[in-house]
Amino acid sequence: MANLFEQLLARETVFRDRNYITPHYTPDKLLFREQQIQKMTEILAGLLNGKRADNLFIYGKVGTGKTASARHVLSHLLDFAGQKNAQVSGTYVNCRNHNSKYRVLSKIVKDFYPEHNFMGYSAAFIYEKLLGFAGEGRGIVLVLDEVDKVKDVDELIYGLSRANDELRKGSLCILGISNNVMFKDDLDPRTKSSLCQQEMVFPAYNAEELKSILSERAKLAFNEGCVDEAAVSLAAAFAAQESGDARKAVMLLMRAGELADKKGLARVSEEEVRRAKRLVEEEIILNMVLTLPQQEQLVLYAIAGLTLERPPLKTLTGETEEGVLYSGEVYDTYVKIAKKFKETVVSSRWYRECISQLEMYGLILTTQSGKGVKGQTRFIKLGYDAKKIKEAIEKGLTA
Ligand SMILES: Nc1ncnc2c1ncn2[C@@H]1O[C@H](COP(=O)(O)OP(=O)(O)O)[C@@H](O)[C@H]1O
Ligand SMILES: [Mg+2]
């Protein structure tokens, strides 16, 4: 009998190298971002001559190439500084994984002093360490990706920008990135003016741009003739329709390729892209749920739990509607759950804001009842499959 591995590897596949069509892969050339990359380069260039660089804030929807562009520019900067022996250092922090001032600072100094262990040191000590590193005359770039995820972001930015006033030699430049287009308006005015010395919006890609991006990736990732052009166009169109999200486009084509392999097909056609759409949308939503702040997750968890228990509701007009909840009962359930998880319970005012946030993300829909005897009530309805959302949050909470 043939060897198991030989069999597996000999199996027909549409992929030449699947890695190129995963969202983790960053291409060397980023199409349609020349302008943004140019501007970033101009802002940072002064560092190479020992000058200070303005802080820069980049924002735009998910999948518009912010992370890829910033990493691209940072790596070019550091390469060139290395060649020229310029005193420039920089590091990239994904604040989703380092979501407090302390964690961000720890991550940064660990990158600059890889041989040291800063576990358990105070924030003040770590901050001084960073100042010391810059103070030796270095121009430092800190890319803080998804900076809106930092709980005490005002303190972080304030602390880092104050550093420049204290330094006689060397400097810090913050390059903050956010997927949340509203984020900068929530910042303390002082933080906002220092973080946003320069700012840049990344626009969503249109279908045509996404098609070019995908075609480039498909050439690397798939065997010749294994992807229909119509499949690429459809993936681009789906991704453009909602948000112009390149990550979604890439994931659609990747999952479509996997489906083709599973079915033993020689080519990826529109049909696989259509089927991949459901899978990918689910992945994106569950991923979004898991990156919500804990309290919002608990509120969503309460909504999902109640939706599963609840028989369809009769509305005043006699129609029945499924999974419609009263805002008040959701709050009561949330309070019980928060206590169970020993989380602090938030006020009802905050709860209303949280509901608005969840609605903005498209995770729930709300409607206001007409003015009645009891005043106005808000109805809440979950936007996605309750069981899947509940399971995802449970997994995250116990992880
Ligand atoms: N202009 C582009 N050309 C090629 N690939 C791109 C481009 N923009 C984004 N991508 C790819 O799309 C995915 C999402 O991009 P990313 O930079 O992570 O977006 P954001 O940080 O804005 O959410 C990544 O896999 C990235 O490589
Ligand atoms: Mg990003």
Short mmCIF file of all heavy atoms in Angstrom, two decimals, residues 60-68 92 94 96 145-146 177-179 247, ligand 2:
data_model
loop_
_atom_site.label_atom_id
_atom_site.label_comp_id
_atom_site.label_asym_id
_atom_site.label_seq_id
_atom_site.Cartn_x
_atom_site.Cartn_y
_atom_site.Cartn_z
N GLY A 60 -8.93 54.04 9.00
CA GLY A 60 -9.68 53.56 7.85
C GLY A 60 -10.28 52.22 8.22
O GLY A 60 -9.88 51.61 9.21
N LYS A 61 -11.23 51.78 7.42
CA LYS A 61 -11.92 50.53 7.75
C LYS A 61 -10.97 49.34 7.70
O LYS A 61 -9.88 49.42 7.15
CB LYS A 61 -13.05 50.31 6.76
CG LYS A 61 -14.23 51.21 7.00
CD LYS A 61 -15.38 50.71 6.17
CE LYS A 61 -16.52 51.69 6.15
NZ LYS A 61 -17.45 51.38 5.07
N VAL A 62 -11.43 48.22 8.23
CA VAL A 62 -10.67 46.98 8.21
C VAL A 62 -10.34 46.59 6.76
O VAL A 62 -11.16 46.75 5.87
CB VAL A 62 -11.52 45.85 8.84
CG1 VAL A 62 -10.86 44.50 8.64
CG2 VAL A 62 -11.75 46.11 10.30
N GLY A 63 -9.12 46.07 6.58
CA GLY A 63 -8.76 45.53 5.28
C GLY A 63 -8.46 46.55 4.22
O GLY A 63 -8.54 46.27 3.03
N THR A 64 -8.08 47.77 4.64
CA THR A 64 -7.73 48.79 3.66
C THR A 64 -6.21 48.94 3.51
O THR A 64 -5.74 49.89 2.91
CB THR A 64 -8.35 50.16 4.03
OG1 THR A 64 -8.05 50.45 5.40
CG2 THR A 64 -9.86 50.14 3.87
N GLY A 65 -5.47 48.00 4.10
CA GLY A 65 -4.02 47.98 3.87
C GLY A 65 -3.21 48.82 4.84
O GLY A 65 -2.04 49.10 4.59
N LYS A 66 -3.80 49.20 5.98
CA LYS A 66 -3.07 50.05 6.94
C LYS A 66 -1.90 49.30 7.56
O LYS A 66 -0.77 49.80 7.57
CB LYS A 66 -4.03 50.53 8.05
CG LYS A 66 -5.20 51.35 7.53
CD LYS A 66 -6.12 51.78 8.65
CE LYS A 66 -6.76 50.65 9.42
NZ LYS A 66 -7.63 49.79 8.62
N THR A 67 -2.18 48.11 8.08
CA THR A 67 -1.13 47.34 8.73
C THR A 67 -0.03 47.00 7.73
O THR A 67 1.16 47.20 8.00
CB THR A 67 -1.71 46.04 9.33
OG1 THR A 67 -2.70 46.41 10.29
CG2 THR A 67 -0.65 45.19 9.99
N ALA A 68 -0.43 46.52 6.58
CA ALA A 68 0.56 46.11 5.58
C ALA A 68 1.42 47.30 5.16
O ALA A 68 2.65 47.18 5.07
CB ALA A 68 -0.15 45.50 4.37
N TYR A 92 7.01 47.39 16.08
CA TYR A 92 5.60 47.28 15.76
C TYR A 92 4.89 46.60 16.93
O TYR A 92 5.33 45.55 17.40
CB TYR A 92 5.44 46.43 14.49
CG TYR A 92 4.02 46.02 14.20
CD1 TYR A 92 3.20 46.83 13.41
CD2 TYR A 92 3.49 44.85 14.73
CE1 TYR A 92 1.89 46.47 13.16
CE2 TYR A 92 2.17 44.49 14.48
CZ TYR A 92 1.39 45.29 13.69
OH TYR A 92 0.08 44.94 13.45
N ASN A 94 1.10 45.21 18.12
CA ASN A 94 -0.32 45.02 17.85
C ASN A 94 -1.05 45.15 19.19
O ASN A 94 -0.97 44.27 20.04
CB ASN A 94 -0.55 43.64 17.24
CG ASN A 94 -2.01 43.46 16.88
OD1 ASN A 94 -2.89 44.15 17.41
ND2 ASN A 94 -2.28 42.55 15.99
N ARG A 96 -3.96 44.92 20.01
CA ARG A 96 -5.00 43.94 20.31
C ARG A 96 -4.45 42.91 21.29
O ARG A 96 -5.14 42.44 22.18
CB ARG A 96 -5.38 43.26 19.01
CG ARG A 96 -6.66 42.53 19.07
CD ARG A 96 -6.79 41.72 17.82
NE ARG A 96 -7.41 42.47 16.75
CZ ARG A 96 -8.16 41.88 15.82
NH1 ARG A 96 -8.32 40.58 15.84
NH2 ARG A 96 -8.70 42.60 14.87
N ASP A 145 -0.41 49.55 16.36
CA ASP A 145 -1.51 49.12 15.50
C ASP A 145 -2.73 48.81 16.37
O ASP A 145 -2.60 48.26 17.45
CB ASP A 145 -1.09 47.88 14.71
CG ASP A 145 -1.93 47.68 13.45
OD1 ASP A 145 -2.91 48.43 13.26
OD2 ASP A 145 -1.60 46.77 12.67
N GLU A 146 -3.89 49.15 15.87
CA GLU A 146 -5.16 49.00 16.60
C GLU A 146 -5.05 49.63 17.98
O GLU A 146 -5.44 49.06 19.00
CB GLU A 146 -5.56 47.52 16.67
CG GLU A 146 -5.59 46.91 15.27
CD GLU A 146 -6.49 45.70 15.11
OE1 GLU A 146 -7.43 45.54 15.89
OE2 GLU A 146 -6.23 44.91 14.18
N ILE A 177 -2.44 53.49 14.59
CA ILE A 177 -3.35 53.00 13.54
C ILE A 177 -4.66 52.55 14.19
O ILE A 177 -4.64 51.95 15.27
CB ILE A 177 -2.74 51.78 12.80
CG1 ILE A 177 -1.36 52.12 12.25
CG2 ILE A 177 -3.66 51.30 11.68
CD1 ILE A 177 -0.67 50.95 11.57
N SER A 178 -5.77 52.85 13.54
CA SER A 178 -7.05 52.35 14.06
C SER A 178 -8.00 51.99 12.93
O SER A 178 -8.07 52.67 11.90
CB SER A 178 -7.70 53.40 14.96
OG SER A 178 -8.99 52.97 15.32
N ASN A 179 -8.73 50.89 13.14
CA ASN A 179 -9.79 50.49 12.20
C ASN A 179 -11.07 51.23 12.49
O ASN A 179 -12.04 51.14 11.75
CB ASN A 179 -10.11 49.00 12.35
CG ASN A 179 -8.96 48.11 11.95
OD1 ASN A 179 -8.16 48.47 11.10
ND2 ASN A 179 -8.88 46.95 12.56
N ARG A 247 -8.75 42.00 3.08
CA ARG A 247 -8.57 40.76 3.82
C ARG A 247 -9.69 39.78 3.48
O ARG A 247 -9.46 38.59 3.27
CB ARG A 247 -8.55 41.00 5.33
CG ARG A 247 -8.61 39.68 6.12
CD ARG A 247 -8.44 39.88 7.59
NE ARG A 247 -7.17 40.53 7.82
CZ ARG A 247 -7.01 41.59 8.59
NH1 ARG A 247 -8.04 42.08 9.24
NH2 ARG A 247 -5.84 42.13 8.74
MG MG B 2 -4.68 46.13 10.57
#
